[in-house]
Amino acid sequence: MAAEAKDNASLSSTSRSEQRAPHFLQDVIFHGKFKLLKALTPEENVHCRHGLYFQDGQRRVDYILTYPVKKPGSGRSSRQSVHLLTEKAVARSLRHVSHSRGEQLHCHQAPKTKDSAASQSSPAADVELGCVGETFNGQEDHKAFRREEFEGKLRDMGLELEKDEDTKIQGVGFVKIHAPWNVLCREAEFMKLKMPTKKVYEVKHSSGVVEKITSLVSKVLEPLHPHVEENQPKNIKHLSHTFSREKQHLFDLSDKDCFFDSKTRSSIVFEILKRTKCKAKYSMGITSLIGNGIYTAAYPLHDGDINEESAEPNDRKLLYEEWANYGVFYKYQPIGLVRKYFGEKIGLYFAWLGLYTQMLIPASLVGVIVFLYGCATVDDNIPSMEICHPRNNITMCPLCDQVCSYWKLSSACGTARASHLFDNPATVFFSIFMALWAAMFMEHWKRRQMRLNYEWDLTGFEDEEDHPRAEYEFRVMQKSMSKDPKSQHKMEKLTCQDRLPAYMTNLVMMLLMIGVTFAIVFGVILYRISTKAALHMSSNPTTRNNAQLTVKTTAAIINLVVILILDEVYGAVARWLTVLEVPKTDKSFEERLIFKTFILKFFNAFTPIIYIAFFRGRLVGRPGSYLYVFESYRMEECAHGGCLMELCIQLSITMLGKQLIQNNLFEIGVPKLKKLIRYIRSEHGAYKEEERQKKLQRYETDHFLEPFAGLTPEYMEMIIQFGFVTLFVASFPLAPLFALLNNIIEIRLDAKKFVTELRRPVAARAKDIGIWYNILRGVAKVAVIINAFVISFTSDFIPRMVYQYMYSPDGSMHGFVNHTLSYFNVSHFQDGKETMDPLHLGYRVEICRYKDYREPPWSDTPYEISKELWAVLAVRLAFVIVFQNVVMLMSDIVDWLIPDIPKDISLQIHKEKILLVDLFMKEEQGKFQVLENRGTMRDKANCSRSNNNNSSTLTHPRSGLHTNSTKSL
C-alpha cells in the first residue's frame, strides 16, 4: 500500500496533462512511462513480468480483451513505427488543442495546414492512433474507432486500461483492465454482493448421539479430505451482509487488496463490460463487439502457473495438486476452494457431481449383489435347465425365410443361462430400490444445496433480471427502424407474433430430427435382418452358429457410432434453433438451449433401446403369417431367452461407449487438438513448450487455452448417464457400477480441464442448479414407469408367475418352457417362404415350435390367440399399475420424511438474522449516542459562551448594561 501511494504521488504531476489528452494518448503515455519505470527498477516489478499486473507492478489485471493487430509493413521495427505514429498523433493533438475531445477521437476537420491536407489526401487513417494509416483499410479503421470509443466508455466508468501490442503473439493486441477500489465498491453495491463483516460468531453443533457419531465418522474419514488450508476454524463464521459504501465501517477493510478476491473482481469488470454500450450503431456491449470482430476474446486471468514456486498463495496450483490430479481420486473435492476460484455456479456443479458419485456407491453395491445372485442361481434355474437338457429334442421353426433351417432349442442354452443373470426375481427388488434411490438422491441434494447456500452466503440471494442479449436488442432496433426510422429511441419488444416463424421452424426441425433418429433405428433394423440372412447362407458352420451374437454386437456398435455423430449434430441444431428464437436474456437462452438439446439427445440415445425393450419381437406375426417390411424382410424376433439379453447388450455398449469415447476421449483429445492448432497458427510452433511457458506472460499463455463454453455439455452427459442408470436398470444391474467408475475419472478429468485446459470462466452466482433439477426429477419419474414396463413386458417375470400359480400342476416351474411354445404345421408355410434345407437336422420335420400363446393347428380355431395370453396380458397391466403407484407412493413418503433444509442450518440462519439485527441496533445506538454527545457538548459550549458573555458584560465599564444600571441607581 505504501509503495502504491508512493507511485501515485510521483505520478500526480502528470495526471492533469494525461486527462486532457485523448484516450489513445493516455494509453501511449501511460505505457511508455511505466516501461521506463520497469527498466529503472526491475526488482520492484516482479509480478508484472508474469502478466498479472500492469507495468507499475502494483495494479492487478482483472480482465483481458484481445483484438487483431496488423503490424505496419515498412522496414522499421514495430516499436519504432508505433513510436513514430505516436509522435505525429501528439503533434496534431497539440495543434488542435482547442478542439473538443470528441473531435479529436473522430478526426474531424482541422485547420488547413500541410499535415491536415496530407491527412485528407491519405487513403485511410488510423483512427485509434490518430495518424496516417498506410497499411489499414477502411474496415480496420472502423474497428479501431469502435474499440477506442468502447474503451473511452470504460474509462468513463472508472476502469483503468493499459494496452500491449508488442507481444510474442503475432497479430494479437491485449487490453489489460484494472478496477480501482472505488469502482469495486460501487459495483459491489449495485450487484448486492454479500461480503463478510467484522462480526464473527461460533457455529455450535448439537451434542446428541447423532452428532457424536458424525464426529467419529469425520475423524475416520480424515485421510480422505484434501489438504487445503483453512483461513479460519470450521466452527467460526463471519457474519455477512450486503455491501454498502455507507456501511464500510462494518467490514474488515484492513487489506483492501484482498477484500475483493480475483473472481469477484473479474465478475465486477465483466458486469461493466456487458452493460457498457457505445454510441456507434448496433454496439451492445462486449458480447456484440466480439461477435462483430471488434475484439476477438475477453477473459479473466488465472492467478498463476501450476508449476511456479512463489511465496504468494496460488489457488490454481493448490487446485491442481489437491483436485485436478488422478492421484487424489479417492479424496473428497475441495468444493470451498473450487467456489472461491471459479464461482458458485461451477462450485455447485462439482458439488452435485460429487454427491451423485457418492450416491452411486450403495447403488453399485446392490447392483453387484443382484448380479452375483443371478450367477449363483443360474444352475438352479429350472427353465434354463430344461432348455439345456441334452435330451431336449424340441424342434424350433426357422428364424428367417428360405435360408434359415430348423434348429434345436438346446442350441439356445448359452443365451438362456446368460439371460438369467439379468432376468431373475432380484431384478424386481433392484428396480424398486433404484426408484427409492433416485428419490433419496434428489432429497439429499436439496439438503446439500441448502447447506452450501448457507456456507457461501447465498441464503438471501435472488436471481436478478439479466441484461438483454445483444442479438435481442439488435432485433428490437431493427423492428423499431422498420416501423419508423425516426423513432429509434422508442421502447419496443419482440412479441410472439415476431417469433412465430422461429417457433414454427423450431417445431418442424425438432420433429424432423426426431424423425431422422427413427429412420436410423429403422435402418439398423434392416441391417440386422439382412445380415442375419446373409450369415445363415454362409458355408462356414461357425459363422452360422454365431450369427445371432455377431448381428447383435455389430448392430449395437453401429448404433453407438451413429449416436456419437448425431449428438454433435443435434447440439449444433439445438443452438441454431435457439438463436432463431432470439431469447431476451442469457438465462432464457440457456434454458431453451438445454431443453432442446436434452430432448434431441434423449431420443438419440434411448430410441434404439426403447425399440428393443418394447417393440422387438412383438410385431413379428406367426409362422405362415409373418409381418414383412418392403415385402421381403421379415421382422426380427427375440431369441428364446427373451429380448432382455439383447437389451442388456445394447444398453451396455451404448453406455460404456459414450462414457469412454465421448465423455473421456473427446474431452481430453479435442481441447488439446484445438490448443495445438491455435499454437501453430500463432507462428510459435518452433518453440518448445517449456520455452514458450517461460517467455510468454500470463495473459498471453491464457490466450492459447480453450474458451469456456458453459456447463451445459458437462451437465448433459451426466443427465444422460443418470438416464442409463435409472431408466432401464432392470435389464442391466451393473449400470451403477460402470457409472461410478466413470465418474471417479470424470471428476478429475473435468477438474484438470477447468484448471489447465480452459480459460478461467467468469464467476457467476447461483443458488441452485437451475433447470437441471427439474430434468432430473422428470427422468426419475419416467424411470419408475419404464422399469415397470420392462419387468412386465420385456422380461419373463410375469409369465413365470402366471404359470407357477395358475397352470403348473405342482406349483413349480417344471414344464414352463413347453407351456410358452406353440405348435405349427410346416405344410402351412406360404409358397416360397419355406426353408430350402428341410433335412438340415437329419430328418423331415412336420411340426415345429415357436414362442407364442396360440392354439395348435389341430384345434377348432388353429393359430388363434389362446386364453393363456389374455391371462398373462391382464397380469402384466395390473403389475404395471400396482408397481407405479406403490413405488411413487414410497418416493413421496421419502420426500415427505426428509426435510429440505437441515435443522442445524435453519437454526444457524435464524441465528444470523438475530445477530444482524443486534449489529444494526448497536450501530444505531452508537450513532444516537454520538449525536447526543455532540448535542450535549454543543449545549455546554453554548452555555459556557453565554456565561462568558454575561460576565464580560457586567464587568466591562463601557457596556450599555452597566451604564443603565448606574443611571437607575
Side-chain angles (χ1 to χ4, degrees), residues 12 102 165 286 387 447 522 559 601 622 672 800 949:
S12 61
E165 295 185 357
I286 188 61
I387 294 175
R447 292 170 61 85
F522 185 72
N559 264 322
K601 291 193 174 184
R622 62 170 180 83
K672 288 186 177 295
R800 290 173 182 174
N949 292 335

Side-chain angles (χ1 to χ4, degrees), residues 135-316:
T135 60
F136 293 92
N137 56 32
Q139 185 179 6
E140 290 169 341
D141 276 347
H142 176 68
K143 291 182 178 180
F145 166 69
R146 293 277 296 277
R147 284 196 296 270
E148 179 58 34
E149 184 184 9
F150 182 71
E151 291 163 12
K153 291 285 185 179
L154 295 182
R155 291 187 182 91
D156 294 339
M157 295 293 293
L159 297 178
E160 298 177 1
L161 278 62
E162 182 180 84
K163 286 189 177 182
D164 186 6
E165 295 185 357
D166 188 19
T167 64
K168 298 180 179 62
I169 305 178
Q170 298 294 330
V172 179
F174 295 89
V175 178
K176 295 176 279 187
I177 302 176
H178 169 77
W181 173 253
N182 60 332
V183 175
L184 294 174
C185 293
R186 182 192 69 206
E187 297 298 324
E189 186 173 351
F190 291 165
M191 297 170 63
K192 299 179 181 179
L193 297 180
K194 268 193 171 184
M195 305 301 295
T197 64
K198 297 177 182 178
K199 177 70 174 178
V200 296
Y201 66 96
E202 183 179 0
V203 180
K204 294 183 179 180
H205 299 282
S206 59
S207 58
V209 179
V210 177
E211 182 61 30
K212 292 181 179 179
I213 296 175
T214 305
S215 177
L216 179 61
V217 171
S218 63
K219 290 181 180 179
V220 173
L221 299 179
E222 186 66 27
L224 301 182
H225 292 277
H227 298 291
V228 179
E229 295 182 1
E230 298 289 343
N231 296 329
Q232 61 184 17
K234 294 183 179 180
N235 60 338
I236 299 297
K237 188 177 186 298
H238 277 275
L239 189 64
S240 297
H241 182 63
T242 305
F243 185 81
S244 174
R245 287 173 288 183
E246 296 180 355
K247 300 183 182 298
Q248 291 192 26
H249 57 278
L250 297 178
F251 305 93
D252 184 9
L253 303 181
S254 58
D255 188 1
K256 292 185 178 181
D257 292 336
C258 298
F259 183 73
F260 295 105
D261 55 13
S262 59
K263 75 167 179 65
T264 306
R265 298 175 67 98
S266 62
S267 63
I268 288 176
V269 175
F270 180 68
E271 190 71 17
I272 299 175
L273 293 175
K274 282 199 305 182
R275 72 166 186 260
T276 301
K277 301 179 182 180
C278 300
K279 294 180 180 179
K281 191 176 182 181
Y282 305 147
S283 290
M284 307 297 180
I286 188 61
T287 306
S288 175
L289 295 176
I290 292 177
N292 293 330
I294 310 301
Y295 292 97
T296 55
Y299 52 90
L301 295 180
H302 286 288
D303 68 353
D305 192 73
I306 57 177
N307 298 318
E308 70 179 4
E309 296 181 1
S310 60
E312 283 193 359
N314 186 345
D315 290 338
R316 188 189 185 198

